[in-house]
Amino acid sequence: EEDVVYILIVTPQGKIFVHTFPGPVPSGLIDSGLLRNRRSYGIKKIPYGKDFIFDIACPIQESRLGTLHLGLSGEPMVERVNHTMGDISTIVAAILILGAVIAVLLSRFISRPILEFIKVTKAVSRGDLEQKAVAKTGDELEDLATSLNEMTQQIKAARTRLDDARDYVSNI
């Protein structure tokens, strides 16, 4: 793999046991404290020429046999992370847009019956008792439409009784 810059094993005494460099281990890596025996896993960012390396240290049998170091080139890894972050940003933007569209549609779905109710109540207040509220939502809005229609019918019936009583009184 081209991202792997080196593999080396450091003995518990801090000596290089084996490595994959074609020549000696570069002095910059030795100066970075790479040869210290590690008792736990770790990742260290090490300058390496114009680039940098992620040195991943892994103790072998709890450091009794030494530490395995895997050096990965930093630039391809950063490019992959940036690419992934771009993908994640695109997904988040798509989710936000989808959420906004759903919110608008949901608000219209909820507000449409309420706007209808307002129209009916205004017509009833002007005396038009033939208006009917319609909401086939199967929830409280449908219950409200039914109640509004019943109220309108009761007002219409009361008005009819009142007109009948007025006609009766005027004919006496």
Side-chain angles (χ1 to χ4, degrees), residues 13-112:
Q13 296 75 29
K15 305 284 185 207
I16 296 175
F17 177 68
V18 66
H19 65 82
T20 58
F21 289 104
V25 175
S27 61
L29 291 177
I30 294 172
D31 296 341
S32 71
L34 195 67
L35 300 184
R36 279 185 254 128
N37 194 27
R38 307 252 338 185
R39 298 210 178 276
S40 63
Y41 296 92
I43 299 176
K44 185 175 184 179
K45 185 177 174 181
I46 301 171
Y48 189 70
K50 294 180 181 179
D51 196 6
F52 59 91
I53 295 174
F54 288 109
D55 179 75
I56 302 170
C58 176
I60 304 170
Q61 289 208 340
E62 297 175 358
S63 296
R64 289 190 297 271
L65 297 179
T67 305
L68 171 74
H69 289 267
L70 174 65
L72 299 176
S73 178
E75 191 59 36
M77 199 173 294
V78 168
E79 286 176 14
R80 284 188 198 118
V81 167
N82 289 340
H83 181 74
T84 302
M85 292 301 289
D87 291 347
I88 290 171
S89 297
T90 302
I91 291 168
V92 167
I95 289 170
L96 289 174
I97 290 169
L98 180 63
V101 168
I102 289 171
V104 166
L105 294 176
L106 188 60
S107 70
R108 285 186 181 170
F109 176 76
I110 291 170
S111 65
R112 185 171 293 133

